[in-house]
Amino acid sequence: MELERPNIRPSAYGYVRALPELRSNAVAQLQSELARFAHQEGFALVEVCVEQRWLHTVAWDALVASCKRHDVRNVVVPDYRHLHSLPGLSFVMQRVIEDVVDGRVWCARSDAAVEEATVSSVGSAAE
């Protein structure tokens, strides 16, 4: 008799850059979006690293260190802007992280959805 193997999902870390144009509640919404995306793609989202200060890399460095320490090879971001605001440099950042963790960066949103998401998440921090 063959035993059924448990369905073990590979781990993934999330990364969100608190972009200046985001509303105050948008980061929590993005974290939920990453959790849904990871689950749909068959990953167990372990943690979401949030870069709180624009142009800093504290969370980025923690993400890379955690991936290497725990041998996690999947990173989920909402979209390319969370790696860099310029698409070309975002692509470079994506390749850098993929090389460092020997894995893959997954974007929860397609490039076409970025414009729509930008419009819906822009607002004042007081909202």
Side-chain angles (χ1 to χ4, degrees):
M1 176 169 105
E2 190 172 325
L3 296 177
E4 195 175 320
R5 294 178 61 180
N7 186 10
I8 299 173
R9 294 172 174 257
S11 296
Y13 280 102
Y15 179 77
V16 171
R17 184 177 298 278
L19 302 170
E21 70 270 11
L22 293 180
R23 291 184 201 160
S24 58
N25 64 342
V27 171
Q29 291 172 344
L30 289 171
Q31 290 174 313
S32 294
E33 185 179 325
L34 293 183
R36 278 190 306 276
F37 175 83
H39 182 76
Q40 289 171 348
E41 294 297 319
F43 299 114
L45 189 64
V46 176
E47 182 180 354
V48 177
C49 299
V50 179
E51 203 70 74
Q52 295 291 343
R53 296 186 63 201
W54 188 240
L55 299 178
H56 284 78
T57 62
V58 174
W60 175 266
D61 295 339
L63 169 80
V64 170
S66 291
C67 283
K68 291 178 85 168
R69 182 173 45 255
H70 301 290
D71 198 27
V72 172
R73 296 185 177 175
N74 294 288
V75 174
V76 181
V77 297
D79 58 66
Y80 72 84
R81 298 169 306 156
H82 290 266
L83 297 174
H84 198 283
S85 58
L86 298 173
L89 292 178
S90 175
F91 179 76
V92 170
M93 293 297 290
Q94 178 180 344
R95 293 296 174 232
V96 166
I97 190 75
E98 288 175 343
D99 286 347
V100 170
V101 302
D102 193 25
R104 180 165 177 197
V105 173
W106 302 80
C107 289
R109 297 180 187 148
S110 66
D111 289 348
V114 170
E115 184 63 33
E116 181 180 323
T118 300
V119 171
S120 69
S121 64
V122 172
S124 70
E127 289 182 348

